[in-house]
Each structure stands twice: as structure tokens, then as C-alpha cells.
Amino acid sequence: MAQANYLRLGDACPDFEADSTEGKISFHKWAGDSWVIFFSHPADYTPVCTTELGTVAKYGDQWKARGVKPIAISVDPVDSHNGWLKDIEETQGTKMNFPIVADPTRAIANSYGMLAPNAEDTMKGKLTVRSVFIIDPAKKLRLTLTYPAATGRNFDELIRVIDALQLTDGSKVATPANWKQGDDVVILPGINDEKAKEMFTDFKTLKPYLRMTKQPAKTVKK
């Protein structure tokens, strides 16, 4: 099964209309001015997917604090999704608080490149792999990750990435390896020392191209 498209960072993410567990959704209109974490799971009534969707629901306050809307998708029909919600809530001890999109024709999955024809654990492209798309308020793709069916996603890492994206969008900094909220950050090489002194109260020069400073405050539209 050939993929129709391959999304790259900075690309506009395709709009779509589809049924979901929260009714019919027009994706771009639903997203509004929010950030979005759009993620696919291979199938309903499966163990890893159940833990993943339960985790995303439990993180509801963390998404909200960052102005992020989660939305999931698989190739199962909406009736299957709705039946599965009860199992997720029962086994994960949480209330579902985001939509799951139904894509039985695989049209959305194809447009986002969620099908992997050579992956044995997703029936060679018949089921979606564990794709993740972080989409900004301009509907541009800012991060994409793909996990195999047997590996559950680390949503703490995805929150870390969102924190980094939102921080660096509003400041002339970058985040170093293993950065987490509150850690020191890197001043962009294009900012000379004179300008850096104006912009940052203090910084440490390790090399002319590597200058560390305290994390500036970030502003998130909610």
C-alpha cells in the first residue's frame, strides 16, 4: 500500500472532516488557535493503546496549561471507538476528555503518512502505526515521531518537546540535550555578545558558539 504523502517539518497539516467520539469534526476549525497533539493508534480494544489513551486523558490539565488539544485516530469505525471508551475509563481510572477520530477508509491516515506497508505488526499497512504530530496554531507541523505497535509512547517526552517549542518560538534561545522546564538554555549563535547582554541578564560563554543562560519566561496563548 503506497503512502500518498509524507509530511515534513514546516508543512501545512491537511484539514479533514470525519466522525469522532465527540461528533463530526472539521479538523482545522476544531483546532482553532490551539496547539494540537494528533496521534494514531493501531486498533481499538488493544492493550498498549488502552494505556496510551488513558494517559493522555490523565494529562488533561497539563495539555490545557500549555494551550494544547489532544486528538487520536485509528482506522476503526466510531461505534468501535465509543464502545472502547468504557474499557479505557474502567481500566485506566480516568474520564476520556478528547476525541478519537474514525478513519475506516484510511484517507486521513494516508494524507498524514500513518501507514507503514513494511511493518509486520500493523498488518503491513492495514493498521496505523503509532504516529505523533505536534501542530502549532498556524496548522504547521512542528514535530513528528513514529513508534512501532509494540512500544508505548512517552507522553512526558512529548510535553517536554511542546515546552521547548513554545519557549523557543518566543525567545532567541534553543534547548540543549535532555533539557527540561527550568533548565538553562542556549543563546542562538546569530545573537552577538553585545546583543546578548541586552537580551539576557547574564550568560556563560563555554565557546563563542556555545553560550548558556537562564531559561526566559514563556508566553502561551490558551
Side-chain angles (χ1 to χ4, degrees):
M1 183 183 298
Q3 291 283 59
N5 287 302
Y6 182 80
L7 289 176
R8 295 171 175 82
L9 298 187
D11 286 353
C13 291
D15 196 9
F16 59 82
E17 288 191 358
D19 291 328
S20 81
T21 52
E22 296 186 0
K24 188 169 286 293
I25 281 180
S26 178
F27 181 53
H28 284 185
K29 184 177 179 180
W30 171 87
D33 294 330
S34 298
W35 288 73
V36 172
I37 176 169
F38 183 32
F39 63 104
S40 58
H41 60 275
D44 296 351
Y45 297 101
T46 53
V48 176
C49 303
T50 300
T51 65
E52 287 191 323
L53 271 72
T55 297
V56 173
K58 289 177 182 177
Y59 282 23
D61 288 344
Q62 296 197 55
W63 306 125
K64 186 175 180 180
R66 293 163 173 82
V68 177
K69 287 184 173 182
I71 183 168
I73 186 172
S74 82
V75 300
D76 298 287
V78 73
D79 288 348
S80 174
H81 290 340
N82 282 325
W84 182 39
L85 293 182
K86 301 180 185 70
D87 286 1
I88 297 172
E89 294 179 345
E90 176 189 343
T91 63
Q92 304 306 300
T94 190
K95 183 75 175 174
M96 289 296 291
N97 49 27
F98 61 91
I100 309 174
V101 171
D103 185 29
T105 68
R106 298 172 176 76
I108 301 168
N110 266 307
S111 69
Y112 276 81
M114 297 173 173
L115 302 172
N118 294 317
E120 296 285 348
D121 56 4
T122 53
M123 298 175 63
K124 295 190 173 181
K126 291 182 180 179
L127 305 177
T128 48
V129 289
R130 298 189 193 281
S131 297
V132 183
F133 303 89
I134 304 298
I135 302 167
D136 70 17
K139 313 299 183 293
K140 297 296 181 66
L141 179 63
R142 301 299 300 277
L143 173 135
T144 181
L145 290 170
T146 300
Y147 295 70
T151 303
R153 283 163 280 210
N154 186 330
F155 289 96
D156 289 326
E157 165 64 5
L158 294 171
I159 285 176
R160 187 192 77 89
V161 170
I162 290 168
D163 282 342
L165 288 170
Q166 293 180 344
L167 173 66
T168 56
D169 274 2
S171 307
K172 299 293 185 181
V173 298
T175 54
N178 293 333
W179 174 88
K180 60 184 182 299
Q181 190 69 250
D183 287 353
D184 287 354
V185 294
V186 176
I187 299 173
L188 294 182
I191 306 298
N192 61 36
D193 283 350
E194 182 178 353
K195 188 67 174 176
K197 289 173 184 176
E198 296 176 10
M199 298 175 65
F200 308 99
T201 55
D202 189 29
F203 61 89
K204 182 178 181 180
T205 300
L206 303 177
K207 291 289 182 181
Y209 58 85
L210 180 54
R211 296 163 297 171
M212 306 298 295
T213 190
K214 297 294 183 184
Q215 175 186 319
K218 72 171 183 176
T219 301
V220 181
K221 182 176 180 180
K222 299 176 185 178

